[in-house]
Amino acid sequence: MSKGEKVGGTIADADGNFTADVQFTRLEAGRHWITANCGVVLTAAVDQLLTSSSGGQSSSLIILVFFVLAGVAVLRFR
């Protein structure tokens, strides 16, 4: 559970060990606390980070435009 919402489930093996996949229904950046209630209450923190890769293309575009304009200037004043 996280914030009262079920985010995963699992069954323990014969030794009492378990693993569980956690799936959040919405992405929110920050630290989220996960609670497992299996007779004993276990808690762990999960940090969610939201990233974007759109910034890389804009810098390439700026460099391309610079070289095109520089080329036009060289040809014009030649």
Side-chain angles (χ1 to χ4, degrees), residues 16-30:
N17 300 316
F18 67 91
T19 59
D21 292 330
V22 176
Q23 296 182 359
F24 292 96
T25 56
R26 59 186 188 275
L27 297 175
E28 294 178 8

PDB file of all heavy atoms in Angstrom, residues 16-30:
ATOM      1  N   GLY A  16       9.223 -17.816   4.165  1.00  0.00           N
ATOM      2  CA  GLY A  16       8.690 -16.513   4.566  1.00  0.00           C
ATOM      3  C   GLY A  16       9.253 -15.347   3.768  1.00  0.00           C
ATOM      4  O   GLY A  16       8.960 -14.201   4.063  1.00  0.00           O
ATOM      5  N   ASN A  17      10.076 -15.633   2.762  1.00  0.00           N
ATOM      6  CA  ASN A  17      10.644 -14.575   1.923  1.00  0.00           C
ATOM      7  C   ASN A  17       9.664 -14.209   0.811  1.00  0.00           C
ATOM      8  O   ASN A  17       8.923 -15.051   0.323  1.00  0.00           O
ATOM      9  CB  ASN A  17      11.953 -15.050   1.291  1.00  0.00           C
ATOM     10  CG  ASN A  17      12.983 -15.410   2.339  1.00  0.00           C
ATOM     11  OD1 ASN A  17      13.171 -14.695   3.301  1.00  0.00           O
ATOM     12  ND2 ASN A  17      13.643 -16.533   2.139  1.00  0.00           N
ATOM     13  N   PHE A  18       9.681 -12.941   0.415  1.00  0.00           N
ATOM     14  CA  PHE A  18       8.830 -12.516  -0.683  1.00  0.00           C
ATOM     15  C   PHE A  18       9.442 -11.335  -1.419  1.00  0.00           C
ATOM     16  O   PHE A  18      10.275 -10.617  -0.884  1.00  0.00           O
ATOM     17  CB  PHE A  18       7.422 -12.145  -0.198  1.00  0.00           C
ATOM     18  CG  PHE A  18       7.388 -10.912   0.669  1.00  0.00           C
ATOM     19  CD1 PHE A  18       7.188  -9.665   0.108  1.00  0.00           C
ATOM     20  CD2 PHE A  18       7.519 -11.017   2.049  1.00  0.00           C
ATOM     21  CE1 PHE A  18       7.149  -8.527   0.900  1.00  0.00           C
ATOM     22  CE2 PHE A  18       7.475  -9.893   2.846  1.00  0.00           C
ATOM     23  CZ  PHE A  18       7.287  -8.645   2.271  1.00  0.00           C
ATOM     24  N   THR A  19       9.054 -11.173  -2.658  1.00  0.00           N
ATOM     25  CA  THR A  19       9.346  -9.984  -3.451  1.00  0.00           C
ATOM     26  C   THR A  19       8.033  -9.566  -4.103  1.00  0.00           C
ATOM     27  O   THR A  19       7.141 -10.399  -4.303  1.00  0.00           O
ATOM     28  CB  THR A  19      10.393 -10.246  -4.555  1.00  0.00           C
ATOM     29  OG1 THR A  19       9.903 -11.260  -5.420  1.00  0.00           O
ATOM     30  CG2 THR A  19      11.728 -10.680  -3.966  1.00  0.00           C
ATOM     31  N   ALA A  20       7.931  -8.299  -4.410  1.00  0.00           N
ATOM     32  CA  ALA A  20       6.697  -7.796  -5.021  1.00  0.00           C
ATOM     33  C   ALA A  20       7.016  -6.692  -6.014  1.00  0.00           C
ATOM     34  O   ALA A  20       7.865  -5.843  -5.745  1.00  0.00           O
ATOM     35  CB  ALA A  20       5.744  -7.272  -3.946  1.00  0.00           C
ATOM     36  N   ASP A  21       6.367  -6.738  -7.154  1.00  0.00           N
ATOM     37  CA  ASP A  21       6.436  -5.636  -8.110  1.00  0.00           C
ATOM     38  C   ASP A  21       5.493  -4.546  -7.630  1.00  0.00           C
ATOM     39  O   ASP A  21       4.365  -4.828  -7.217  1.00  0.00           O
ATOM     40  CB  ASP A  21       6.019  -6.091  -9.508  1.00  0.00           C
ATOM     41  CG  ASP A  21       7.015  -7.056 -10.125  1.00  0.00           C
ATOM     42  OD1 ASP A  21       8.214  -6.947  -9.805  1.00  0.00           O
ATOM     43  OD2 ASP A  21       6.592  -7.894 -10.924  1.00  0.00           O
ATOM     44  N   VAL A  22       5.964  -3.308  -7.675  1.00  0.00           N
ATOM     45  CA  VAL A  22       5.157  -2.164  -7.243  1.00  0.00           C
ATOM     46  C   VAL A  22       4.802  -1.354  -8.478  1.00  0.00           C
ATOM     47  O   VAL A  22       5.669  -1.005  -9.273  1.00  0.00           O
ATOM     48  CB  VAL A  22       5.932  -1.300  -6.232  1.00  0.00           C
ATOM     49  CG1 VAL A  22       5.154  -0.065  -5.856  1.00  0.00           C
ATOM     50  CG2 VAL A  22       6.279  -2.118  -5.001  1.00  0.00           C
ATOM     51  N   GLN A  23       3.505  -1.082  -8.667  1.00  0.00           N
ATOM     52  CA  GLN A  23       3.043  -0.294  -9.808  1.00  0.00           C
ATOM     53  C   GLN A  23       2.131   0.818  -9.302  1.00  0.00           C
ATOM     54  O   GLN A  23       1.051   0.558  -8.778  1.00  0.00           O
ATOM     55  CB  GLN A  23       2.297  -1.185 -10.794  1.00  0.00           C
ATOM     56  CG  GLN A  23       3.165  -2.241 -11.415  1.00  0.00           C
ATOM     57  CD  GLN A  23       2.411  -3.082 -12.434  1.00  0.00           C
ATOM     58  OE1 GLN A  23       1.223  -2.891 -12.658  1.00  0.00           O
ATOM     59  NE2 GLN A  23       3.107  -4.017 -13.041  1.00  0.00           N
ATOM     60  N   PHE A  24       2.611   2.051  -9.482  1.00  0.00           N
ATOM     61  CA  PHE A  24       1.818   3.208  -9.088  1.00  0.00           C
ATOM     62  C   PHE A  24       0.826   3.542 -10.199  1.00  0.00           C
ATOM     63  O   PHE A  24       1.143   3.414 -11.375  1.00  0.00           O
ATOM     64  CB  PHE A  24       2.724   4.412  -8.821  1.00  0.00           C
ATOM     65  CG  PHE A  24       3.599   4.245  -7.614  1.00  0.00           C
ATOM     66  CD1 PHE A  24       4.903   3.807  -7.731  1.00  0.00           C
ATOM     67  CD2 PHE A  24       3.096   4.510  -6.354  1.00  0.00           C
ATOM     68  CE1 PHE A  24       5.701   3.649  -6.628  1.00  0.00           C
ATOM     69  CE2 PHE A  24       3.889   4.355  -5.231  1.00  0.00           C
ATOM     70  CZ  PHE A  24       5.197   3.923  -5.371  1.00  0.00           C
ATOM     71  N   THR A  25      -0.359   3.992  -9.826  1.00  0.00           N
ATOM     72  CA  THR A  25      -1.368   4.353 -10.834  1.00  0.00           C
ATOM     73  C   THR A  25      -1.095   5.726 -11.438  1.00  0.00           C
ATOM     74  O   THR A  25      -1.536   6.013 -12.532  1.00  0.00           O
ATOM     75  CB  THR A  25      -2.780   4.343 -10.231  1.00  0.00           C
ATOM     76  OG1 THR A  25      -2.805   5.223  -9.104  1.00  0.00           O
ATOM     77  CG2 THR A  25      -3.173   2.937  -9.812  1.00  0.00           C
ATOM     78  N   ARG A  26      -0.384   6.584 -10.724  1.00  0.00           N
ATOM     79  CA  ARG A  26      -0.013   7.887 -11.264  1.00  0.00           C
ATOM     80  C   ARG A  26       1.421   8.208 -10.846  1.00  0.00           C
ATOM     81  O   ARG A  26       1.900   7.759  -9.806  1.00  0.00           O
ATOM     82  CB  ARG A  26      -0.968   8.978 -10.807  1.00  0.00           C
ATOM     83  CG  ARG A  26      -1.051   9.144  -9.325  1.00  0.00           C
ATOM     84  CD  ARG A  26      -2.140  10.153  -8.943  1.00  0.00           C
ATOM     85  NE  ARG A  26      -2.087  10.435  -7.531  1.00  0.00           N
ATOM     86  CZ  ARG A  26      -2.686   9.707  -6.596  1.00  0.00           C
ATOM     87  NH1 ARG A  26      -3.401   8.663  -6.944  1.00  0.00           N
ATOM     88  NH2 ARG A  26      -2.594  10.018  -5.334  1.00  0.00           N
ATOM     89  N   LEU A  27       2.115   8.964 -11.687  1.00  0.00           N
ATOM     90  CA  LEU A  27       3.495   9.332 -11.411  1.00  0.00           C
ATOM     91  C   LEU A  27       3.538  10.682 -10.718  1.00  0.00           C
ATOM     92  O   LEU A  27       3.032  11.671 -11.235  1.00  0.00           O
ATOM     93  CB  LEU A  27       4.296   9.393 -12.713  1.00  0.00           C
ATOM     94  CG  LEU A  27       4.425   8.080 -13.463  1.00  0.00           C
ATOM     95  CD1 LEU A  27       5.125   8.305 -14.788  1.00  0.00           C
ATOM     96  CD2 LEU A  27       5.176   7.060 -12.636  1.00  0.00           C
ATOM     97  N   GLU A  28       4.140  10.702  -9.559  1.00  0.00           N
ATOM     98  CA  GLU A  28       4.333  11.929  -8.796  1.00  0.00           C
ATOM     99  C   GLU A  28       5.759  11.928  -8.297  1.00  0.00           C
ATOM    100  O   GLU A  28       6.166  11.017  -7.572  1.00  0.00           O
ATOM    101  CB  GLU A  28       3.378  11.991  -7.607  1.00  0.00           C
ATOM    102  CG  GLU A  28       1.918  12.094  -7.967  1.00  0.00           C
ATOM    103  CD  GLU A  28       1.020  12.096  -6.738  1.00  0.00           C
ATOM    104  OE1 GLU A  28       1.532  12.169  -5.601  1.00  0.00           O
ATOM    105  OE2 GLU A  28      -0.196  12.008  -6.927  1.00  0.00           O
ATOM    106  N   ALA A  29       6.531  12.930  -8.692  1.00  0.00           N
ATOM    107  CA  ALA A  29       7.921  13.012  -8.246  1.00  0.00           C
ATOM    108  C   ALA A  29       7.971  13.149  -6.730  1.00  0.00           C
ATOM    109  O   ALA A  29       7.117  13.779  -6.118  1.00  0.00           O
ATOM    110  CB  ALA A  29       8.609  14.193  -8.903  1.00  0.00           C
ATOM    111  N   GLY A  30       8.970  12.513  -6.123  1.00  0.00           N
ATOM    112  CA  GLY A  30       9.170  12.622  -4.684  1.00  0.00           C
ATOM    113  C   GLY A  30       9.288  11.267  -4.016  1.00  0.00           C
ATOM    114  O   GLY A  30       9.312  10.224  -4.662  1.00  0.00           O
TER     115      GLY A  30
END
